[in-house]
Amino acid sequence: MLKIENLHAEIDGKEILKGLSLEVNAGEVHAIMGPNGAGKSTLAYVLGGRPGYDVTQGSVTFDGKDLMDMEPHERAAAGMFLGFQYPVEIPGVSNVQFLREALNSQRRERGEEPLSGGEFLKLAKEKAGLLKLDMEMLKRNVNVGFSGGEKKRNEMVQMGILDPAFAVLDETDSGLDIDALKVVGEGINAIMRQPEKAALLITHYQRLLDYVQPDFVHILSAGRIVKTGGADLAKKLEADGYDEVMAA
Ligand SMILES: Nc1ncnc2c1ncn2[C@@H]1O[C@H](COP(=O)(O)OP(=O)(O)O)[C@@H](O)[C@H]1O
Ligand SMILES: [Mg+2]
């Protein structure tokens, strides 16, 4: 589904990703762990197509198509979703407006009919319920005044509404209390754990992986994947730390 080969990427002329290769098939959940500054968020941004992140070598294909050749909105319409480490606030735009516009612009791009206001609200209510986010939150301006945990849950509601084929979630578990972590973990399972979908979870901690069991765990260090294992690799990391696991 997603195939990354020898990816090199730089920001402002500084190379951050240094030959990263990774293949994710439909039905799989992969976790990426790694020390601060390893390039995890950079990988997420490169996949999402954020300006300023220059790919200098290598390739990324998504369902056989050259992802790097696609504009960010084309990637989204093709089913790529990016959950941000730091969700942005958008004053003056309500969550409902924002989400409906995001969904309908993707639908138009795919040649599908836009949803009416009523149809959209029904969908939004269902997904907000799944993430235990009060509908009142959806009427407020996007993320403005939301707590860290509410922002992350809001992102997951957005993911539920957009129903992507592939999700890259960058530290979705950071800033969540124990209860919110469970809700978000179960939300990710409900939305993404399907045979035709796949997800890449970027996380520092094992705790999210207690809810969303990864099929593969990769350690990203200094711009490339240095170790790959199963769910047990994350447990080992938690117990022993990066230095010891990477040296082994
Ligand atoms: N806008 C930027 N300009 C210059 N360097 C950056 C920028 N963003 C990130 N970096 C650098 O890229 C490296 C990788 O960052 P990042 O991908 O955020 O790491 P991680 O998410 O693994 O903690 C770090 O050394 C960071 O300082
Ligand atoms: Mg990061």
Side-chain angles (χ1 to χ4, degrees):
M1 192 168 197
L2 183 78
K3 191 168 188 185
I4 305 174
E5 282 181 303
N6 188 34
L7 184 65
H8 290 252
E10 50 184 54
I11 308 170
D12 286 339
K14 181 181 167 211
E15 188 169 64
I16 311 289
L17 299 182
K18 303 172 182 172
L20 188 149
S21 298
L22 175 67
E23 191 167 355
V24 181
N25 297 305
E28 294 175 352
V29 170
H30 291 234
I32 293 197
M33 306 181 83
N36 290 321
K40 302 182 298 297
S41 293
T42 300
L43 172 63
Y45 288 138
V46 166
L47 294 176
R50 181 170 173 160
Y53 290 72
D54 302 318
V55 172
T56 53
Q57 257 190 81
S59 65
V60 182
T61 58
F62 182 48
D63 282 336
K65 279 177 283 191
D66 183 353
L67 190 73
M68 296 301 127
D69 238 16
M70 298 160 79
E71 295 293 326
H73 71 274
E74 295 171 327
R75 298 180 195 196
M80 171 74 70
F81 177 87
L82 185 56
F84 293 106
Q85 183 169 2
Y86 305 107
V88 290
E89 300 185 1
I90 316 179
V93 178
S94 84
N95 241 332
V96 170
Q97 280 174 313
F98 172 73
L99 293 170
R100 184 173 166 208
E101 186 47 39
L103 176 63
N104 280 340
S105 63
Q106 290 190 11
R107 291 177 66 94
R108 276 192 292 273
E109 182 98 22
R110 291 194 293 259
E112 299 165 10
E113 287 289 311
L115 292 191
S116 70
E119 288 168 326
F120 176 77
L121 275 182
K122 190 165 165 258
L123 178 69
K125 229 178 217 156
E126 178 198 326
K127 302 302 176 185
L130 189 67
L131 273 304
K132 299 195 165 52
L133 193 76
D134 197 325
M135 269 310 275
E136 287 307 307
M137 303 286 294
L138 286 191
K139 294 180 188 152
R140 282 168 52 181
N141 287 347
V142 180
N143 288 326
V144 177
F146 286 25
S147 72
E150 287 167 345
K151 286 180 183 174
K152 296 298 171 84
R153 269 191 285 157
N154 197 33
E155 287 244 309
M156 295 301 99
V157 172
Q158 185 183 352
M159 182 168 84
I161 287 170
L162 296 177
D163 196 24
F166 194 96
V168 182
L169 303 180
D170 191 3
E171 295 196 28
T172 292
D173 50 347
S174 73
L176 296 182
D177 62 34
I178 308 287
D179 293 346
L181 183 69
K182 183 163 186 275
V183 169
V184 164
E186 287 169 353
I188 295 171
N189 283 331
I191 299 162
M192 299 309 300
R193 259 292 180 201
Q194 297 183 40
E196 72 283 7
K197 294 184 171 193
L200 197 55
L201 305 180
I202 296 172
T203 180
H204 274 295
Y205 303 103
Q206 161 62 29
R207 53 187 191 180
L208 178 67
L209 306 180
D210 286 336
Y211 295 106
V212 189
Q213 290 269 329
D215 300 292
F216 297 94
V217 174
H218 310 276
I219 302 179
L220 177 58
S221 175
R224 55 168 82 95
I225 289 179
V226 295
K227 208 174 186 91
T228 292
D232 53 320
L233 181 58
K235 295 198 174 105
K236 212 161 157 198
L237 271 177
E238 185 108 327
D240 301 341
Y242 288 113
D243 287 346
E244 195 167 326
V245 171
M246 290 188 317

